[in-house]
Amino acid sequence: MENSFIRSVKISLILVYLVIAAGSIVRMTGSGMGCPDWPKCFGYWIPPTERAQLDWKSDHQYAQGQVIIMNEELRVANSHFKSSEAFEEKYWDYYTQHDYALFNAYHTWIEYINRLLGALAGLVVLVMTVLSFWNRKKNIAHPTISFLILLGMGFQAWLGKTVVDSNLAPYRISLHMGMALLIVLGLIFLLFSTEKKAFSIAGNTKIKIWAWLAVLLTLFQIGLGTQVRQFVDLQMHESPALWLDPAPIKFYVHRTLSLLVLGVHIMLFWMLRKMKRNVRVFNQILGLIGLEIFTGILMFYFDFPFSSQPLHLIIAALLFGAQSFFILQLMSNRNTYDL
Ligand code: HEM
């Protein structure tokens, strides 16, 4: 059972990262409103593939909640009924959450796959939580953290609905991202506590201070990044071709801070090297920072080339996960490796 639990933690982590990746692809392709409602999509569990499926039809069985597009407006069936020869107003309410009434199969299916991945991740986290209870006498932390992650996934799903309902309000997207990182943190904790090879690097105080500084700086940088993204989102609404022209001060702070983030990590690397320690996850952290700066440069200096936005986000999420793992290694007093 222990092995099944470990496997479920790993699969959950992979799926959560896939959901983050899918979410960023939704944003890059502008598919966020591909499904105007939630959790169904145009009132269907499997969404339409053609615009014609959303036209009103006579002699057709409609289920409550199904959506049609009429005169560029969304209408929702208010009951189960069979339509007659003529359109009857009494069966149809206006959709009031927002006034977005376009159908684009490509956007709809990208958004739908994102939701499917989210549901799959939720299901695996549920299995993980059930499995965690088997070992509760030996380790109460596992069921507790697993259950919190499960609640987090539920909350995240609800937040996803509020993002759609708010017509993709930028600050809600940032909140959604913050919650995703908390879920990653919980899963990394479980991974660390079950990973037999994850030795502790009980570091000295100096190393610990630098490590915390590095993590806090990165967290601040991620927060600032979401603010830059909010600016880009608003700008895209007003004049899509401009991206960061003119760029706000917070962008320049974000760009400059990346050098500080890099500097602090190089310093840590050098300290670990001096102590003849080659910590694998730390090498990965350095590589991720390099890639993050590279994709940032691509976006700003080369006009946001295709896939640079999702990559920038996914690398930031991986960086956060790797840093959480590193901090856990540093703070834990489990066997081996004294600095
Ligand atoms: C350690 C380095 C960095 C970290 C951790 C970081 C992190 C982030 C994060 C988390 C976001 C929000 C992404 C989203 O919500 O979709 C973001 C956005 C952004 N960052 Fe960075 N970043 C770094 C370096 C840079 C650099 C060096 C540049 C430019 C030279 C840059 C340019 C941008 C831009 C333009 C955005 C807005 C992206 C969008 O609209 O999709 N970043 N950053």
Side-chain angles (χ1 to χ4, degrees):
M1 206 47 79
E2 176 84 8
N3 281 346
S4 307
F5 174 66
I6 297 174
R7 217 169 298 134
S8 68
V9 172
K10 289 182 178 164
I11 299 175
S12 299
L13 191 60
I14 292 171
L15 281 172
V16 166
Y17 272 116
L18 281 179
V19 176
I20 294 177
S24 63
I25 291 170
V26 166
R27 174 167 174 264
M28 176 186 71
T29 54
S31 305
M33 296 309 284
C35 296
D37 45 345
W38 191 98
K40 291 187 180 175
C41 188
F42 287 98
Y44 298 89
W45 286 117
I46 298 176
T49 48
E50 288 171 13
R51 169 68 179 81
Q53 288 171 266
L54 295 168
D55 285 335
W56 176 82
K57 294 174 203 65
S58 58
D59 280 330
H60 186 82
Q61 190 65 47
Y62 281 102
Q64 188 175 10
Q66 280 183 355
V67 176
I68 56 169
I69 299 180
M70 204 168 199
N71 302 329
E72 303 307 309
E73 280 176 317
L74 294 178
R75 296 294 199 93
V76 191
N78 54 24
S79 55
H80 298 273
F81 68 97
K82 188 165 185 196
S83 58
S84 55
E85 282 307 301
F87 178 78
E88 287 172 286
E89 195 73 46
K90 65 178 179 183
Y91 290 123
W92 297 97
D93 293 336
Y94 284 97
Y95 191 76
T96 50
Q97 298 287 1
H98 52 77
D99 57 3
Y100 184 90
L102 291 176
F103 176 76
N104 174 324
Y106 168 73
H107 288 169
T108 295
W109 278 81
I110 289 181
E111 168 63 12
Y112 181 64
I113 290 168
N114 178 33
R115 290 183 187 187
L116 278 187
L117 269 174
L120 185 63
L123 214 66
V124 177
V125 167
L126 177 66
V127 171
M128 176 188 87
T129 308
V130 171
L131 290 172
S132 70
F133 276 89
W134 251 268
N135 221 5
R136 65 185 178 281
K137 290 213 174 92
K138 242 170 82 189
N139 190 339
I140 190 66
H142 287 176
T144 313
I145 303 282
S146 301
F147 188 65
L148 284 176
I149 295 173
L150 185 65
L151 287 184
M153 293 292 283
F155 181 66
Q156 187 71 333
W158 173 80
L159 219 54
K161 170 183 163 51
T162 72
V163 168
V164 173
D165 285 351
S166 71
N167 212 343
L168 313 182
Y171 78 94
R172 296 214 182 177
I173 300 180
S174 300
L175 204 64
H176 205 45
M177 154 132 188
M179 193 61 216
L181 292 186
L182 271 181
I183 290 171
V184 166
L185 181 64
L187 287 168
I188 292 283
F189 176 84
L190 291 179
L191 184 71
F192 178 74
S193 60
T194 53
E195 184 71 69
K196 297 190 177 61
K197 282 180 274 171
F199 52 82
S200 151
I201 31 168
N204 62 32
T205 314
K206 197 168 148 203
I207 293 255
K208 280 182 181 157
I209 291 175
W210 277 92
W212 275 107
L213 181 67
V215 170
L216 292 178
L217 258 180
T218 311
L219 269 182
F220 184 73
Q221 172 74 333
I222 289 176
L224 204 58
T226 64
Q227 298 304 301
V228 177
R229 200 241 319 116
Q230 289 188 15
F231 175 88
V232 173
D233 275 345
L234 292 175
Q235 182 95 328
M236 293 294 288
H237 244 72
E238 315 260 300
S239 26
L242 290 181
W243 301 100
L244 278 168
D245 186 15
I249 289 286
K250 54 190 165 197
F251 164 74
Y252 293 106
V253 179
H254 183 66
R255 189 181 63 177
T256 311
L257 202 66
S258 64
L259 293 179
L260 196 60
V261 172
L262 182 65
V264 169
H265 281 86
I266 289 177
M267 182 74 190
L268 250 176
F269 180 74
W270 180 73
M271 286 159 85
L272 289 170
R273 254 285 156 84
K274 240 175 78 179
M275 290 163 164
K276 303 223 170 3
R277 288 292 177 253
N278 183 13
V279 183
R280 205 178 67 177
V281 72
F282 195 78
N283 299 339
Q284 292 163 353
I285 289 174
L286 266 186
L288 288 169
I289 292 177
L291 285 174
E292 187 69 344
I293 293 178
F294 175 68
T295 49
I297 290 173
L298 278 184
M299 282 191 290
F300 186 61
Y301 296 99
F302 298 91
D303 269 351
F304 291 72
F306 180 77
S307 80
S308 55
Q309 285 175 293
L311 280 177
H312 200 66
L313 172 67
I314 294 159
I315 294 165
L318 286 171
L319 178 61
F320 174 81
Q323 278 182 332
S324 308
F325 198 87
F326 176 64
I327 283 285
L328 284 170
Q329 275 194 316
L330 202 61
M331 304 310 283
S332 109
N333 47 20
R334 187 188 334 155
N335 55 47
T336 39
Y337 241 70
D338 264 321
L339 291 182

